[in-house]
Amino acid sequence: MIPEPLANGFCFGEGPRWFEGLLWFSDMLGEAVHTATMGGSLTTLPLPGRAPSGLGFRPDGSLLIASTEDRQVLRYDGDTVVSIADLAGLAPANLGDMVIDDLGRAYIGSQAFSGGVIIRLDPDDSATVVASDLDFPNGMVITDDRKTLIVAESVGRRLTAFTIDEGGGLSDRRVFADGLDGPPDGIALDADGGVWTSMTLAHQFERIVEGGAVTDRIDMGERVAIACTLGGPERRTLFLLSSTEAYPERLVGTKLSRLDAVTVTSPGAGLP
């Protein structure tokens, strides 16, 4: 599969999410959230003074945004952006990726290299740590039956699964895949149980099944694979965010990130 360039001109793309006919993604160093059409036209929601990362949509259509460095969660209702939760007391490190379930519960990673946690932000905006001792929790998905959450542990080079109980707690921690080719970042789940995973330092996106077998690869050449999601018509478009550096701080002031797209066989499933 050869991806086609869709859009560029932003600093560091992260957290892509498909919602209501648009791809939404964070520009962490550009202090903005962008949307892209299937034709590549961009619009921008400026977030001055913020470094957005994980995104997710609640059932009412409002967008939640993880503001990394100040460890706050923002809400955008289509008109205004407000802070709804300060997670600094629970998060040992900057906030990262996010996934939101059908009840509006947001699972947000705090990206400590060791001792990282997942925080659940409930619809009443109360927050609870639901998983700990993770090695840089990053991208997350929830399976189609809503019973399993899979998280990428970047430093651990593995995908880890948890059972989601009725109250939104996470238990029965287990390895979905380990010994990965590179640190995984953003991930996406398809209908056949495969997880598309960005392998940052390996410069590729890989489709991995439970147990760790790699069934497909997309080589990004010299570009660094950052994050991906499935969306578009029938959720068969795999959107790929890439950059020229794996370490965001080296990209401040640049506009070298890129959004590509490629059509895949198995459509997206579960959440987001």
Side-chain angles (χ1 to χ4, degrees), residues 18 38 231-237 239:
W18 179 259
M38 288 297 296
E234 301 179 350
R235 291 185 73 182
R236 292 183 184 274
T237 301
F239 295 99

Side-chain angles (χ1 to χ4, degrees), residues 139 160 194:
T160 298

Side-chain angles (χ1 to χ4, degrees), residues 190-236:
D190 69 27
D192 293 317
V195 176
W196 281 100
T197 307
S198 57
M199 296 294 182
T200 55
L201 301 181
H203 298 267
Q204 59 191 9
F205 292 88
E206 295 182 352
R207 183 183 183 272
I208 300 170
V209 297
E210 189 168 7
V214 177
T215 64
D216 214 338
R217 285 185 174 91
I218 299 173
D219 185 0
M220 299 302 291
E222 295 182 356
R223 298 192 66 80
V224 177
I226 301 297
C228 59
T229 198
L230 284 157
E234 301 179 350
R235 291 185 73 182
R236 292 183 184 274

Side-chain angles (χ1 to χ4, degrees), residues 82-117:
V82 297
S83 176
I84 60 169
D86 186 340
L87 304 184
L90 297 176
N94 287 354
L95 302 183
D97 220 323
M98 176 194 310
V99 64
I100 299 181
D101 70 11
D102 301 292
L103 299 178
R105 299 178 298 204
Y107 295 85
I108 305 159
S110 175
Q111 296 179 324
F113 286 87
S114 62
V117 304

Side-chain angles (χ1 to χ4, degrees), residues 17-24 57 59-61:
R17 296 291 181 259
W18 179 259
F19 184 71
E20 293 189 346
L22 293 171
L23 183 76
W24 298 68
F57 290 89
D60 64 2

Side-chain angles (χ1 to χ4, degrees), residues 68-73 85-93 95 110 119 127:
T68 61
E69 295 176 359
D70 56 15
R71 304 179 196 181
Q72 295 185 24
V73 179
D86 186 340
L87 304 184
L90 297 176
L95 302 183
S110 175
I119 300 167

Side-chain angles (χ1 to χ4, degrees), residues 63-78:
L63 172 67
L64 298 192
I65 305 165
S67 183
T68 61
E69 295 176 359
D70 56 15
R71 304 179 196 181
Q72 295 185 24
V73 179
L74 315 177
R75 184 182 68 229
Y76 174 56
D77 63 5

